[in-house]
């Protein structure tokens, strides 16, 4: 009988701590992110609704992998005005970002730009660049007309492995840099 009590006590304590974490402001998203299953891939599609070329770096990584820092799966895109990217398959990880300071810092920390073929330094930034120069021309990835703040998403909170992540680039004079990124998700069909 004493053995059952010892086994039940740790389970009960774990359940109580988990409940408290979910109820604490800010802890629920972290708990969801840490406990979500991360197996497989996500599909990423970017829709550029602006009359400008958009250039950016995006990818996935696990921010909790710190010692040593875990790798990033990085991709870059220079997307023509009023167009959509082809669906891209990205390894499912705890974090996904278009730009953002955290993603760029992790990519630099693990030397991702040095190992990325056809690396475009003009598109490697924590913001999305918008240019009035068409893709394929010098300067197309430079922010000649404005920027959009990067957009970060968390596994378990914003998406699950197998989902399709859709980012829509929108001109918005009220947004910092004159542009914004909207996010939506299409859940994987069960």
């Amino acid at each position: 009988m004493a053995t059952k009590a010892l086994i039940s006590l740790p389970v009960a304590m774990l359940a109580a701590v988990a409940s408290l974490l979910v109820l604490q402001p800010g802890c629920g998203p972290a708990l969801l992110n840490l406990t979500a299953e991360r197996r497989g891939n996500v599909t990423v599609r970017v829709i550029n609704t602006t009359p400008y070329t958009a250039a950016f770096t995006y990818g996935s990584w696990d921010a909790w992998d710190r010692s040593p820092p875990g790798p990033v799966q990085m991709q870059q895109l220079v997307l023509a005005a009023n167009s959509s990217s082809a669906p891209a398959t990205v390894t499912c990880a705890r974090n996904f970002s278009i730009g953002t300071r955290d993603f760029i810092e992790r990519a630099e920390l693990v030397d991702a730009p040095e190992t990325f073929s056809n690396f475009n330094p003009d598109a490697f930034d924590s913001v999305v660049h918008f240019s009035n120069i068409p893709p394929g021309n010098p300067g197309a990835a430079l922010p000649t007309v404005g920027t959009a703040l990067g957009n970060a998403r968390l596994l378990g909170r914003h998406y699950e492995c197998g989902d399709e992540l859709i980012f829509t680039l929108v001109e918005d004079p009220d947004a910092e840099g004159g542009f914004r990124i909207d996010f939506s998700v299409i859940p994987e069909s069960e």
Side-chain angles (χ1 to χ4, degrees):
M1 186 85 131
T3 305
K4 285 186 181 178
L6 289 176
I7 293 171
S8 298
L9 184 60
V11 172
M13 292 290 286
L14 183 59
V17 169
S19 301
L20 289 174
L21 286 174
V22 170
L23 296 175
Q24 292 297 316
C27 292
L31 184 62
L32 289 173
N33 184 245
L34 282 169
T35 59
E37 182 179 340
R38 59 179 172 156
R39 188 175 10 212
N41 299 307
V42 293
T43 303
V44 178
R45 187 182 310 257
V46 181
I47 302 166
N48 183 2
T49 66
T50 77
Y52 305 105
T53 301
F56 50 92
T57 301
Y58 69 95
S60 63
W61 84 104
D62 287 324
W64 295 101
D65 294 348
R66 297 181 181 153
S67 186
V72 300
Q73 183 178 358
M74 184 175 89
Q75 297 189 28
Q76 292 186 305
L77 190 58
V78 178
L79 188 59
N82 299 307
S83 68
S84 297
S85 69
T89 300
V90 177
T91 301
C92 188
R94 298 210 186 283
N95 303 79
F96 182 89
S97 289
I98 292 183
T100 76
R101 176 58 33 213
D102 289 342
F103 176 65
I104 297 299
E105 286 176 358
R106 174 58 69 91
E108 289 172 333
L109 189 62
V110 298
D111 297 326
E114 285 75 23
T115 60
F116 190 80
S117 64
N118 300 319
F119 177 71
N120 183 344
D122 293 340
F124 188 68
D125 199 349
S126 61
V127 294
V128 174
H129 295 175
F130 290 89
S131 174
N132 55 2
I133 302 169
N137 293 297
L142 295 173
T144 61
V145 294
T147 60
L149 296 176
N151 193 302
R153 297 294 156 175
L154 297 174
L155 177 68
R157 182 170 185 200
H158 302 115
Y159 65 92
E160 300 294 331
C161 294
D163 290 351
E164 182 172 354
L165 313 182
I166 300 173
F167 295 88
T168 304
L169 309 177
V170 179
E171 191 169 15
D172 181 353
D174 295 328
E176 184 177 330
F179 298 86
R180 72 173 193 270
I181 305 171
D182 293 340
F183 172 76
S184 59
V185 63
I186 299 174
E188 178 183 39
S189 56
E190 296 292 324

